[in-house]
Amino acid sequence: MAYQAEVVVFDPIGLHARPAGQIVKFVKEGGHDVKIGPNADELVAGNSALRLMAMKVNTGSSLLVVVETDDEELGKSVVDQIQEFLKG
């Protein structure tokens, strides 16, 4: 089972190296299985900064975040933290 929610990129530069690095560090340190993308068909691993930046996400874009967990509270917490990284 997976928890999924949308986040919005507010950073004025879009999804660039700094927020991508923060997301990757958070995902790896927490041992979370996270996928991120513009839609369910274009998800990339949340533990790869290169794949995140290769999406070329601009300011104002929405991204789907999928956290593989049965714990809804944990899923929400992970999504909320990723949203914080994208605020800029």
Side-chain angles (χ1 to χ4, degrees):
M1 181 146 191
Y3 178 85
Q4 39 185 326
E6 284 198 3
V7 295
V8 177
V9 180
F10 292 109
D11 193 299
I13 304 172
L15 179 52
H16 57 94
R18 185 186 50 76
Q22 290 173 316
I23 291 169
V24 168
K25 181 178 179 188
F26 172 71
V27 168
K28 285 182 177 180
E29 286 180 354
H32 308 299
D33 183 2
V34 177
K35 297 201 178 359
I36 302 172
N39 57 57
D41 295 328
E42 300 179 63
L43 296 172
V44 300
N47 62 359
S48 171
L50 288 176
R51 290 181 189 217
L52 291 172
M53 290 187 303
M55 290 190 296
K56 299 184 180 187
V57 179
N58 296 318
T59 305
S61 297
S62 292
L63 292 171
L64 178 64
V65 179
V66 179
V67 183
E68 290 297 330
T69 182
D70 292 331
D71 184 345
E72 188 173 339
E73 293 286 323
L74 174 64
K76 182 173 178 354
S77 171
V78 169
V79 170
D80 289 348
Q81 185 58 56
I82 290 172
Q83 178 65 76
E84 284 299 311
F85 295 140
L86 297 172
K87 286 189 175 177

